[in-house]
Amino acid sequence: LLAAEIDALSRALDNPKRPLVAIVAGSKVSTKLTILNNLAQKVDQLIVGGGIANTFLLAEGFPIGKSLAEPDLVPECKRVLATLAAKGATLPLPMDVVVAKEFSATAPAHVRRADDVKPDEMILDIGPSSALALGHIVRSAGTIIWNGPVGVFEFDAFADGTHQLALAVAEATANGTFSIAGGGD
């Protein structure tokens, strides 16, 4: 199994069919910062989600309310953005998000523009317009690497972004795109 995983990662990173799209999501930038810096040098598009996206939104000056983020890593996020820009790659940030006032499966969910998150709200998923746009990017990829959910998929109200992205990856893969997914949980 280890040899198969190494072969798959080598295929995805050493000589990928372009465009190469990486999705790196989850709660903490700090645990994936080395990966983000490395991928920024290789990918055509880097999609971030979860607390990682919140930290990038903060780095770009967006209000994130009470959202999970790592403000001390904003300079590192800006470095990743600069690396991508220097090679003509992009990191499409969410244009809309799903927010709630508490981290709970029963919290009422609201869709907001990414620049309209209120101080007492937390971002818990990407919004439907963002899921549609990111799905288009994924469906156009030649190679996809995916690690981590883009929202709190354990709660139904905040699972749609990850679900829509998974459907896009499945569709791309069915149409011949090479994809590899990994993660802890």
Side-chain angles (χ1 to χ4, degrees), residues 93-131:
L93 287 171
M95 60 191 86
D96 63 342
V97 293
V98 182
V99 300
K101 293 189 178 197
E102 63 183 46
F103 187 83
S104 164
T106 59
H110 303 283
V111 176
R112 297 235 187 273
R113 286 188 338 261
D115 64 355
D116 192 32
V117 175
K118 307 300 183 215
D120 62 342
E121 295 175 329
M122 55 185 78
I123 301 168
L124 299 176
D125 196 8
I126 60 173
S129 295
S130 296

Side-chain angles (χ1 to χ4, degrees), residues 17 33 78 96 103 153 157 168:
K17 182 179 173 192
L33 195 55
K78 289 183 177 186
D96 63 342
F103 187 83
F153 71 96

Side-chain angles (χ1 to χ4, degrees), residues 16-65:
K17 182 179 173 192
R18 300 279 179 178
L20 170 57
V21 175
I23 305 161
V24 182
S27 59
K28 291 189 172 187
V29 174
S30 56
T31 60
K32 297 183 179 177
L33 195 55
T34 302
I35 294 168
L36 290 171
N37 283 322
N38 189 313
L39 286 173
Q41 299 171 29
K42 299 175 189 260
V43 300
D44 300 299
Q45 292 183 304
L46 178 59
I47 295 171
V48 293
I52 295 171
N54 297 341
T55 306
F56 275 91
L57 285 166
L58 189 61
E60 290 290 282
F62 285 84
I64 62 166

